[in-house]
Amino acid sequence: MAIDCIAKASQIGSLDEKKSPLVFDASVFQKEKNIPTQFLWPDNEKPCPNAPELPVPLIDIGGFLSGDPNAAIEASKLVGEACEKHGFFLVVNHGIDFKLIQDAHISMNNFFDLPLIEKQKAQRNPGEHCGYSSSFTGRFSTKLPWKETLSMRFTPQEQENHKMVQDYILQKMGDSFCGFGKVYQDYCDSMNKLSLGIMELLGISLGVGKNYYKEFFQGNDSIMRLNYYPICQKPELTLGTGPHCDPTSLTILHQDDVGGLQVFVDNQWRSITPNTQAFVVNIGDTFMALSNGRYKSCLHRAVVNSETPRKSLAFFLCPYKQKLVVPPKELINRESPRMYPDFTWETFLEFTQKHYRSDEKTLDAFTNWIQQKTNC
């Protein structure tokens, strides 16, 4: 009953379509001048040309990573200001081997250049969040995103002879992808270390100490995603990714040199110019709950173009699935009462995969869903 109530006020209805899903083959669709209706977006959501640039803070975390306490205070101050204002910032001198980043982009290019039938070996199953997806055609029937993705589950609690990302790729794609799997295993290990460092800065900025959030996420259950946005002959009619807030905790994104990421700030869409030396970092819904609403997850989207494909690497930091998402007591008082109920990432993830299409109101819809289930 609770889900039925939310369905009337959201986009859930498209999840239950029984029609045969459209197959999105990028090698074919990038030449198509007549965009299928499933990819057309309403006029009020269509991309705006020449969105002005958003001046996102460029935060040097080199000093913080080297153990300089003054640099940590300065970096945490800049992080806090960005998270209170719009939830986006860029980090440089992040300590990630640039060759590893290059290898990750090269491997991504090689994967998405494969014929569709080869990519479908890793086909994402209904209700799951890992695997290959061609425009989510199996989940939705309207406002489809103009993209392909490959998602992989990552957790740092791994044995020496068991590497989750690498084993997953070998299982799905075969022995010839051994090198591919190792690249993303190494990349995820690096992203995990970087994200825990950023959690230290977030803890300092919120006044709960550098170790609070770092320890909370030590045993995380995160997601690595490769995004590919093919050429589109009518980019003004569709979107690479629709407007949404990430339901996860923290997103660390590396863009190629093709622009396309846009953020909704001060009632207008603004573009984030690519910087291959930096990572784009943004707050997600789960961390908004962990900060008791102090830091906001930001509405963003991706646009496509008619000249050059765009690719990006996204690491989504998420808590251990059964860990209870509760803000620290220091952020709860009479002036700032609890904004969200207790929940686990496992429940929130299930909600976004089976019951609700992520948008700017996902956390509010999820809160209502939990409260209605509790009252039933």
Side-chain angles (χ1 to χ4, degrees):
M1 184 65 182
I3 296 175
D4 292 339
C5 295
I6 294 178
K8 295 177 182 178
S10 72
Q11 303 169 57
I12 291 179
S14 60
L15 297 176
D16 298 322
E17 296 285 345
K18 302 300 182 183
K19 298 178 182 178
S20 297
L22 178 73
V23 176
F24 180 79
D25 186 341
S27 65
V28 174
F29 275 64
Q30 65 183 354
K31 303 172 186 176
E32 182 60 59
K33 295 186 182 298
N34 295 316
I35 307 300
T37 57
Q38 295 95 324
F39 294 90
L40 300 180
W41 285 69
D43 289 342
N44 64 325
E45 294 184 272
K46 282 188 172 71
C48 49
N50 303 318
E53 182 181 357
L54 176 69
V56 182
L58 194 65
I59 302 175
D60 187 333
I61 61 173
F64 157 70
L65 293 175
S66 68
D68 183 343
N70 292 325
I73 293 172
E74 179 61 25
S76 67
K77 178 183 176 183
L78 295 173
V79 165
E81 290 172 353
C83 290
E84 288 184 342
K85 189 172 184 179
H86 47 57
F88 269 82
F89 55 94
L90 272 67
V91 295
V92 293
N93 291 328
H94 40 67
I96 306 300
D97 184 359
F98 191 68
K99 184 180 184 306
L100 177 59
I101 299 172
Q102 287 180 313
D103 288 346
H105 276 278
I106 291 170
S107 295
M108 176 167 51
N109 293 343
N110 293 338
F111 178 82
F112 288 118
D113 283 345
L114 290 172
L116 179 63
I117 193 170
E118 290 296 312
K119 290 179 283 192
Q120 287 176 329
K121 289 179 179 178
Q123 187 68 44
R124 179 173 173 174
N125 295 320
E128 296 182 356
H129 67 282
C130 290
Y132 167 74
S133 175
S134 56
S135 190
F136 301 143
T137 55
R139 291 189 66 200
F140 311 118
S141 60
T142 60
K143 299 199 297 186
L144 292 178
W146 195 267
K147 71 174 180 179
E148 296 177 302
T149 61
L150 177 65
S151 304
M152 297 159 276
R153 181 185 174 196
F154 168 82
T155 175
Q157 297 177 326
E158 300 172 324
Q159 302 299 321
E160 185 176 346
N161 61 347
H162 174 73
K163 301 292 186 181
M164 181 174 287
V165 173
Q166 195 166 344
D167 290 349
Y168 174 80
I169 293 298
L170 283 173
Q171 176 192 355
K172 292 293 185 179
M173 301 299 295
D175 291 344
S176 63
F177 276 76
C178 180
F180 180 95
K182 185 179 186 308
V183 166
Y184 291 110
Q185 184 70 54
D186 292 345
Y187 188 86
C188 286
D189 288 337
S190 295
M191 288 298 101
N192 176 65
K193 183 178 180 180
L194 177 59
S195 63
L196 293 181
I198 292 172
M199 280 297 157
E200 287 191 43
L201 294 175
L202 289 168
I204 296 170
S205 70
L206 285 166
V208 300
K210 70 176 185 177
N211 291 324
Y212 184 89
Y213 291 118
K214 181 180 180 180
E215 292 175 355
F216 182 89
F217 285 99
Q218 282 289 351
N220 57 75
D221 200 330
S222 299
I223 302 166
M224 178 71 216
R225 180 169 296 161
L226 318 183
N227 297 306
Y228 173 53
Y229 303 94
I231 288 170
C232 179
Q233 298 299 322
K234 297 287 182 64
E236 70 278 4
L237 300 179
T238 189
L239 288 169
T241 298
H244 70 286
C245 296
D246 293 335
T248 51
S249 297
L250 190 76
T251 302
I252 302 181
L253 183 80
H254 193 273
Q255 304 188 77
D256 63 10
D257 56 4
V258 180
L261 178 61
Q262 295 185 347
V263 181
F264 195 70
V265 177
D266 297 330
N267 294 315
Q268 66 172 326
W269 287 104
R270 310 286 292 273
S271 64
I272 295 184
T273 302
N275 180 341
T276 57
Q277 300 299 314
F279 284 100
V280 181
V281 182
N282 71 270
I283 297 300
D285 285 340
T286 300
F287 193 84
M288 182 160 70
L290 280 169
S291 71
N292 200 34
R294 283 272 301 274
Y295 290 171
K296 312 297 183 184
S297 55
C298 188
L299 186 64
H300 57 284
R301 68 184 185 183
V303 300
V304 292
N305 69 80
S306 60
E307 298 177 358
T308 312
R310 176 176 176 262
K311 302 181 184 74
S312 65
L313 302 161
F315 181 83
F316 301 100
L317 181 69
C318 311
Y320 177 67
K321 283 188 175 182
Q322 283 79 40
K323 193 152 192 174
L324 208 58
V325 175
V326 183
K329 61 182 184 300
E330 292 91 336
L331 302 183
I332 305 169
N333 52 50
R334 183 176 298 177
E335 289 74 31
S336 302
R338 280 292 299 275
M339 292 189 65
Y340 307 102
D342 296 354
F343 64 89
T344 64
W345 168 239
E346 183 175 44
T347 305
F348 195 15
L349 178 61
E350 179 185 7
F351 179 73
T352 61
Q353 295 303 309
K354 298 182 179 179
H355 307 308
Y356 193 84
R357 184 173 183 171
S358 295
D359 57 17
E360 73 274 22
K361 299 178 181 178
T362 306
L363 185 55
D364 290 337
F366 175 64
T367 298
N368 292 336
W369 184 68
I370 288 181
Q371 292 172 341
Q372 291 178 32
K373 285 183 66 177
T374 302
N375 294 332
C376 286

